[in-house]
Amino acid sequence: MFHFLCASTKKEASRLAADLAIDLLKKNPEAVLGLATGSSPLDFYADLVEANKAGQISFKKVKSVNLDEYVGLAPDHDQSYAYFMHENLFDKVDILPENTHLPSGTAKDLDAECRRYHELLLEVGTPDLQVLGIGNNGHIGFNEPADVFPENTSAVTLTESTIRANSRFFSSMDEVPKMAISMGVGEILRAKKILLLAFGTAKAEILEKALFGEVTPRVPASILQTADEVYICADDEAMAVIREKHGAIA
Ligand code: F6R
């Protein structure tokens, strides 16, 4: 079931998403959060940092599990997802470092690391809220279009389109990691609430396909149609195709 949190700009829409998370953390200060990186959650995290600074919420008892990490990048690499999380959230709020978790991109044995992360997800517990972005090709986490939905954490080969999209953060194409470790679709769907953030014209087509098209592993985000409580946070640009085809639903 989809609930729409829409506003004209990314900033305003992110505020609605932040209010959802703030409300959740006020009610449950021991919440488990599933977190995403990328450009979509930046304003959302900034709002959570502000709410923490203002004393409205605390992360002292919060636990977090991130969706993914690039294979080959150590946490101190400035394009690693661990680095991103420290820069944009962890170092700016009162979360305890031992309560934050990401897959290790530098593990020697990737299969063992995927198994370790799967076990860790079970141990940490069901996320109360899972934050997601959506790739231009419909990926969630780094679950790329495929023949089946990957159930559990796995090492994935990134598609050309994802490598191209990610290259904006690297000085050359050669430096862009070609693999990542990603939570599986089954693990993502365990969350009690899911928050999908989509902003800008580049996401308009795929957002419509994911929410209203066929449920298929060719469009991994389409699996969200089967989840109970999904919040779609989008700006006017990302909502354009949905509104064009389905009217003013939000
Ligand atoms: C990031 C992740 C990815 C991104 C997606 C959108 O942890 O799992 O699925 O959410 O690639 O990226 P942005 O937000 O940069 O457009």
Side-chain angles (χ1 to χ4, degrees), residues 2 14 25 33-35 58 70 77 86 88-89 120 128 131 133 154 169 183 236 238 242 244:
F2 295 132
S14 299
L25 290 175
L33 299 180
L35 300 176
S58 167
Y70 284 127
H77 188 291
H86 280 277
N88 293 295
L89 187 68
L120 181 135
D128 295 283
V131 181
S154 66
F169 301 113
M183 230 189 242
D236 277 350
I242 290 181
E244 195 183 297

Side-chain angles (χ1 to χ4, degrees), residues 35-41 66-68 81 132-136 139-142 166 168-169 203:
L35 300 176
T37 59
S39 51
S40 304
N66 261 79
L67 281 170
D68 39 24
Y81 286 167
L132 297 175
I134 180 169
N136 297 339
H139 71 213
I140 46 173
F142 274 135
N166 294 347
R168 67 193 194 274
F169 301 113
K203 301 293 169 72

